[in-house]
Amino acid sequence: MIEKTFKPYTKSDIIASLQKLPENATVDDAMERLAFLARLEIAHAQFEAGLGISHDEIVREMAEWQD
């Protein structure tokens, strides 16, 4: 059983992620990073709601595509 532990990103999480960008990062770089975090948050919420596909299921599906 998978324990559900996801929590939405906080302001400090977001700032920490932006601080990891290089000094010469642009506004576009920062926006791309924030968009990525938003997509991760959506994906985690979907998984928590039972809408995800397990790794094993993906591997099985990919094996079928290759046959």
Side-chain angles (χ1 to χ4, degrees):
M1 180 174 182
I2 297 174
E3 183 178 326
K4 297 181 179 184
T5 59
F6 174 71
K7 67 174 184 63
Y9 294 107
T10 62
K11 181 179 176 180
S12 61
D13 295 331
I14 294 165
I15 291 170
S17 180
L18 292 175
Q19 287 177 333
K20 292 178 184 176
L21 290 171
E23 286 299 317
N24 63 343
T26 65
V27 171
D28 284 340
D29 296 330
M31 290 175 61
E32 186 175 312
R33 175 71 57 96
L34 293 175
F36 176 73
L37 291 177
R39 289 190 303 271
L40 280 179
E41 198 167 82
I42 290 166
H44 281 276
Q46 289 173 337
F47 182 77
E48 295 276 324
L51 301 174
I53 299 173
S54 73
H55 180 265
D56 292 338
E57 180 62 27
I58 291 171
V59 169
R60 278 192 297 274
E61 287 183 19
M62 288 179 65
E64 290 175 9
W65 297 341
Q66 294 174 352
D67 289 339

